[in-house]
Amino acid sequence: MPDVVRLRAALLPGDRARVFPASITEPDWAEQLLPLVGERRSVLVLAEGVLMYLDPAGLRSFLLSCRSAFPAAELVADFFHPKVALSGRHPIVRATGAQFRSGARGGRGLAAVAPGRESLGDHRVMERISIGHRAAAGLFRLLALGAPPYAAARLRATGQGT
């Protein structure tokens, strides 16, 4: 959002990160970034705290847009397991009235949403919060056949996909 980009620039003057106002729900969002990237199409796309708000079609569209605009990009994104994301019980959802609309059963599940991505692994985030979170995550993984309740996935483009 343009207002958020302006606020970020005001709060973090001199930050070397490139921030561009574009909505990932628009089909051409990634194409709008190409002038900033230039010929360097090997980029890192960081999607933090955003994918769970996209419905399944929006999530697929986002992944395909990344793949199309940045064929060699790596993507790092956090995600909730569908049982957590779609339960409506997450504290953020309850506190804000927001709605999570999608989830994944691990990086492989996220990569399977759209062709042309493979999982390079998951970083289990929840386990690092506290011992209680570690215990809850362990129990969840046991019940969900190894899938984490919340993690960050690292995905890379493969040679295939459309």
Side-chain angles (χ1 to χ4, degrees):
M1 304 301 283
D3 290 343
V4 174
V5 171
R6 282 192 292 278
L7 177 61
R8 186 181 194 285
L11 294 174
L12 300 171
D15 184 22
R16 293 177 44 198
R18 289 178 159 183
V19 181
F20 187 80
S23 173
I24 64 169
T25 62
E26 298 297 323
D28 67 341
W29 74 270
E31 299 295 326
Q32 294 177 39
L33 297 176
L34 292 178
L36 289 176
V37 175
E39 295 300 315
R40 298 178 317 236
R41 306 288 284 291
S42 181
V43 299
L44 172 66
V45 176
L46 179 60
E48 182 182 7
V50 67
L51 298 186
M52 63 280 298
Y53 294 100
L54 300 175
D55 64 22
L59 177 59
R60 179 176 165 76
S61 176
F62 169 77
L63 293 172
L64 290 173
S65 294
C66 285
R67 176 81 166 81
S68 174
F70 312 113
E74 281 198 18
L75 169 68
V76 176
D78 62 340
F79 61 90
F80 287 101
H81 187 282
K83 295 281 187 196
V84 175
L86 303 177
S87 73
R89 295 182 181 189
H90 191 278
I92 291 174
V93 170
R94 287 190 309 217
T96 64
Q99 182 181 4
F100 292 161
R101 298 185 173 167
S102 64
R105 289 177 171 82
R108 287 186 182 143
L110 188 58
V113 170
R117 296 247 173 239
E118 68 179 336
S119 174
L120 297 176
D122 295 344
H123 175 73
R124 294 181 177 157
V125 178
M126 192 170 155
E127 285 89 332
R128 298 180 177 265
I129 297 172
S130 72
I131 194 159
H133 284 88
R134 188 172 319 136
L139 178 59
F140 185 93
R141 280 195 323 275
L142 182 66
L143 296 172
L145 305 174
Y150 175 65
R154 183 173 161 218
L155 307 178
R156 138 177 98 193
T158 63
Q160 66 225 16
T162 52

